[in-house]
Structure formats: C-alpha cells, structure tokens
Amino acid sequence: MTLELDPDRLKRIGAWADRYVAQRKFAGLSVLIQQRGKEAYFHGAGVRDVTKDALFDRGTVARIYSMTKPITSLVLMMLVEEGELHLDAPLSRFLHEFDSPCALVPGAKHLDQVELVAVPTLHQLLTHQSGFSYPFNPGLLPQAMAAQDLLFKPNASTLADQCAALAQLPLAFAPGKRWEYSVGIDVIGRVIEVVTGKPLDQALQERVFDPLGMTETGFSVPVHARDRFAALYTPLAGNAMALGGGAAGIDTLRQVDSADASPFLGATCLSGGGGLVGTLDDYMRFAECLRMGGGGLVSPATADFMMSNHLSGDIASLGPASFAEQPMDGMGFGIGGAVVINPARSRVPSSLGDFSWGGMASTFFWVDRAHDLSVVFFTQLSPSSSYPARAELKALVHGALM
C-alpha cells in the first residue's frame, strides 16, 4: 500500500535541519522531496559559505562526489542496451593495460606478494567486487594509492592517466572474492570514453544531462553559476577524507575547499566515480528518472535490473573492510547504488527495494518506489561519516508516511 506524506509531520525536517546549522555541524543544507512526481517538501537552511550571507538554497551548486556513480552507471547500462558491450566482458577488452592483473595474496605484508588472477569484469567494477579500492580504505593497496594520490581528483592529469597508474598496482583481492568500495566506476567512466569515442563529460551531457534538463550539472562549475558554488568544510583537524581515524578539530566548520579557488572550477580529470557538481533540482531530475523506470533513457526492465541486488547476500556478508556511503547490514548493491534487502537488518526505517547512494560531502539521495518517493539531500561537509544525518533524514521521511 502506498502511503501519503503528512505535511505536518514533514515540518519536523525543517526543525531538524535548523538544529544542524545552529549547532555548526553543517554550514548549510537543503532537502527536496517529491511524491508521484510532484514536489511534496523543500527546506533550505544555513549558508553556502560561513563568511558570506548567501543562503544554501535549491540554486546552490555543490560537490556531489560519489553520487556521480549512479549517473555513470546509467550511461554504461545504456551501452549495454545498445549491444555495445555486456556486463561479463573483461575490463581488458576495452583497457588493455589491465590484461594481466595480479592480486595481493591473502595476508600479504608487502605489495610484491601477489598471484595472477582473472581480469575483473565490468559487472564486478560496477558492484565493487573487482579488487580495486580507495586510498581512504585500510590495507596495502589503499596505502599505495594514497602514496600516489591516486583518487581521480578533479585536478589530476586525465582519466586515462589515472587508469594507467592504477593498472600498475596489484588488486587488493582476486575479483569476486569480496566487496570493497572502490574507484571501479571511475574506470567504468574510461570504458565509456573508449566505447563511445567521446570524453566522459560529452557522453554524460548527451545521454543524461541534456535529455533530463540537468543544465547545471557537470565536472566543472559553469561560469554563470560560480556565485552559487558552496564552500566545503570538515570537522576534522587534518585530512577531510580521513575515515575512522581522523582527529576532531577545534572548529567544526573548517573550510577545506573554497568556492573561488576550487579545482572544480576547471576539472582536468573527469571522474565518473566522484567528479560531478550540480544543484539539488538537477539531481532530483536524475532521481525521478530512476523512480519512473528509466525516464526513457533506459527501459523499465533495465532500470529494475539496475536497482535490484546483484550480490549473493547483503554487503556485510561479503566481508568488507572498507568504508561505504551506506550501512552494510541488510543492504545489497545494484548497478552503481545500494539496495535495501532487509529494512530491519539495516536498522534504518526504509522500504524494501529502496535504491540510494551518497557522496563524501555528506550528500545523499534515495528512490522509494513502494511509496513513489524521491528524496535528495545536499550539504557540504566531509567526511560523510561525521554525523548520522542520512539515517535521521530517512527516519523523518518515513515518520511522515501516513
């Protein structure tokens, strides 16, 4: 049974958001909810920059980081529909530098303790089972990636160069052996470039942004929107990407990337895993595309395939040691995003089949097809593990379903 959103209960979200700003946990934030394609709620609170008066509103341009992943994944699925590739294809068919991969042996203490393994498939890249990793995860491979600053940052050389550097390192484990959050979808972005013969920004523009009317989303902040670009903050004293081991700073809103001197003003590396910036309304157009069964970009059958669990169980059952933008208990993983397979096990009020993902700057979205809901949450605080805002927001929204 589809439940309705109660307007009075939705007002709790505004009070919750205002508390986060008043307590200096977020400089600013915005929440947009649609049900059955119609706006049900919007609330903005705080500012884009604590040194300025501009409100953090629905026109604010924000770094969405890993919320880029579902968009890139959708484009890959468009190519699957067109018969250009299939998901069990080995990565080396498109990127030859990955034709003879090695993986660290279990319990390895050094990077040279490796064994030859099968080439990861596109499906394994999309579902984080490829053996790739991220520099902020624990382990030997993440340490090596961190030493090379191999994070596909906007000011890195190029996407092709980053992939070539990644190919020189061993995998963290043999493909398919476990789940580890990774740069796999960045590499998928490079596959898209090779298959389409176009740079990733052009491929996304033509296939997603233009058809959906996402006029303010891209890898670089448009010149006309620079006065609406938010600053990025962290509550940590050190690296804003530190997870679990970061020491809290004196200032809960220490600026780490300004709006007027950010690498996102002119990106050189087109990161399909974390490189996009955009507005709240633009991302809602993408979320609604998924809720409506692909919005004409892919078939409803393909959209349903994307938002189904592709793992053998939940993420927790696959032994991850990595960070993830979502809980792992009761959560499966589809193509580019998480899927709720057991709401009770996830310990967050949810509907069975909710599809979602977030970004390192604490942004978040989910699509609830059981109640015809799309929810998008924007703020700019890294890391996203700083506060339980996502779980709280889901509980607030579910508490308004009557």
Side-chain angles (χ1 to χ4, degrees), residues 355-367:
F355 183 81
S356 63
W357 204 241
M360 187 60 85
S362 302
T363 57
F364 184 53
F365 92 102
W366 79 91
V367 171

Side-chain angles (χ1 to χ4, degrees), residues 127-129 178-181 311 315 318 320 322-324 333:
T127 58
H128 300 298
Q129 299 179 90
R178 67 173 195 258
W179 192 96
E180 183 156 324
Y181 195 39
L311 307 181
I315 297 173
L318 298 181
S322 69
F323 165 80
F333 202 82

